[in-house]
Amino acid sequence: MTLLEVNNISKTFPGRNGAIVRAVSDVSFCVEDGEVLGVVGESGCGKSTLGRSLLRLIEPSAGEVLYEGRDIIGLNRKDMKSVRRDLQIIFQDPFGSLNPRHKVGHLIGEPLDVHDIGSRTQRLEKVKELVEIVGLPQNAIDRYPHEFSGGQRQRIAIARALALDPKLIVADEAVSALDVSIQSQIINLIAKLQKRLSLSIIFISHDLSVIRHVSDRIAVMYLGRIVEIGPTERVMANPRHPYTHSLLSAIPRVGEKKSRSNLSGEVPDPSDPPSGCAFHSRCPKVMDICKQVRPKLMTHFTDVGGEVACHLFDK
Ligand code: SF4
């Protein structure tokens, strides 16, 4: 069953000298119950803005977000508060997302206080349960965030995000600030909790090698738009869009010290995007039409699943 349906979401910001920064443009996708959708792209491609727009942590400029069939854009504060119980976020920086003046027990239980859920004793029991399922020692409750390592702090942030028994979590670069060895522990924890709690997750990362371990499907973003989306196995084994190829080539193989990335240049300025296909200035397969006409995201290969936006596949 579809839990979240995103239709034509866009987000613009005012830029310098009256320019408009198009951070997210006309993005549509669905997330099913219990599904993990990975969203990948370089820094500046709009994926974090997309994640925050979906939860209305920043207001989208256009489009609709249907949660269980109801458009949450435009809900008033009171109605949005009840929806927020189901939609949570884990941020990249476990140092910045936890108030250093509060003990961990308070930080994890705070959402229960805000939503006035359970008695004091029930809240404490819930906090103890959450501490246990994220793999922290029970005495963590009476300690402060600064007493923990980065990985442990991210476990605290995960416990806090789970406090209200959400149905969908946006994990926004949730492991990017951690050491590589700790990253895999947190990825494994998220994967374990996703199965145990049947969570839907939108897992945002710039790193395709991280995304592939947790995602059922992968959406590749470039300059505010989805350029390819499909089942993880297909995208990893048979990427269609040249940008997906480039991201894949940047993953070092076992025994290789250097990445084989063929991606040159930077993501263009979103306040002055290239004409036609936004990737044309960096694409090794660019054709004349690419500079003039923006390709639409379309299903080209019904047998393998997914959609791609690229003129290479025009009929
Ligand atoms: Fe490259 Fe053209 Fe495809 Fe864009 S549309 S990715 S420039 S081949």
Side-chain angles (χ1 to χ4, degrees):
M1 205 182 85
T2 300
L3 187 71
L4 195 79
E5 183 180 334
V6 178
N7 294 322
N8 311 106
I9 276 288
S10 297
K11 177 64 186 173
T12 58
F13 297 100
R16 283 192 208 144
N17 302 323
I20 296 172
V21 177
R22 299 183 194 284
V24 176
S25 298
D26 206 17
V27 167
S28 301
F29 60 86
C30 291
V31 181
E32 305 297 316
D33 246 336
E35 183 186 38
V36 182
L37 175 70
V39 179
V40 68
E42 291 164 282
S43 175
C45 73
K47 53 196 188 306
S48 288
T49 303
L50 172 66
R52 284 159 207 230
S53 298
L54 301 180
L55 305 189
R56 291 187 59 201
L57 298 179
I58 51 177
E59 290 294 338
S61 310
E64 57 181 20
V65 177
L66 305 180
Y67 171 66
E68 293 185 327
R70 179 162 74 143
D71 189 6
I72 64 170
I73 308 296
L75 284 187
N76 63 30
R77 223 183 143 99
K78 184 166 155 266
D79 291 341
M80 195 60 210
K81 187 179 173 189
S82 70
V83 170
R84 273 199 205 291
R85 284 179 60 164
D86 289 353
L87 309 175
Q88 295 290 313
I89 187 165
I90 303 166
F91 292 104
Q92 173 179 357
D93 179 10
F95 296 86
S97 63
L98 301 171
N99 188 330
R101 283 176 298 185
H102 290 303
K103 288 183 178 173
V104 167
H106 173 87
L107 292 168
I108 295 175
E110 193 176 24
L112 299 168
D113 298 336
V114 169
H115 287 265
D116 198 21
I117 293 170
S119 64
R120 220 184 136 136
T121 312
Q122 287 169 324
R123 290 178 203 174
L124 182 59
E125 283 308 307
K126 179 74 179 180
V127 169
K128 285 181 180 172
E129 183 196 330
L130 289 163
V131 163
E132 191 259 317
I133 69 169
V134 299
L136 288 167
Q138 280 299 324
N139 67 10
I141 289 170
D142 289 319
R143 292 158 65 191
Y144 289 92
H146 73 264
E147 298 176 55
F148 294 88
S149 66
Q152 286 174 319
R153 288 192 209 201
Q154 202 54 305
R155 287 175 191 266
I156 297 166
I158 292 169
R160 183 179 160 93
L162 293 175
L164 297 171
D165 298 323
K167 292 186 182 171
L168 182 137
I169 289 183
V170 174
D172 184 9
E173 298 278 12
V175 298
S176 305
L178 306 174
D179 291 345
V180 174
S181 58
I182 307 296
Q183 277 188 5
S184 55
Q185 292 175 17
I186 299 298
I187 291 167
N188 290 341
L189 173 66
I190 291 174
K192 192 177 91 184
L193 293 173
Q194 186 271 330
K195 285 202 171 57
R196 176 169 167 176
L197 305 172
S198 300
L199 283 167
S200 299
I201 299 180
I202 298 176
F203 196 99
I204 294 170
S205 175
H206 65 280
D207 189 342
L208 197 49
S209 65
V210 166
I211 288 269
R212 70 174 165 182
H213 289 300
V214 285
S215 308
D216 299 303
R217 282 187 304 142
I218 292 177
V220 181
M221 278 189 80
Y222 189 75
L223 211 63
R225 295 180 190 272
I226 291 179
V227 295
E228 179 161 10
I229 184 166
T232 298
E233 274 181 21
R234 199 279 294 157
V235 171
M236 295 304 295
N238 195 1
R240 300 291 181 170
H241 197 282
Y243 182 55
T244 316
H245 269 283
S246 300
L247 293 179
L248 208 52
S249 72
I251 301 175
R253 290 186 189 150
V254 178
E256 283 182 350
K257 286 193 180 147
K258 279 188 181 169
S259 100
R260 296 158 291 110
S261 175
N262 61 8
L263 198 54
S264 60
E266 304 280 320
V267 178
D269 181 351
S271 67
D272 185 21
S275 59
C277 172
F279 188 56
H280 85 243
S281 55
R282 305 170 77 191
C283 180
K285 299 196 169 171
V286 61
M287 304 172 285
D288 285 345
I289 188 176
C290 306
K291 298 173 186 170
Q292 292 148 24
V293 181
R294 183 166 52 74
K296 289 193 176 132
L297 187 66
M298 291 170 71
T299 304
H300 293 277
F301 313 95
T302 46
D303 52 331
V304 289
E307 296 168 273
V308 63
C310 175
H311 289 305
L312 286 174
F313 306 106
D314 288 349
K315 293 266 185 331

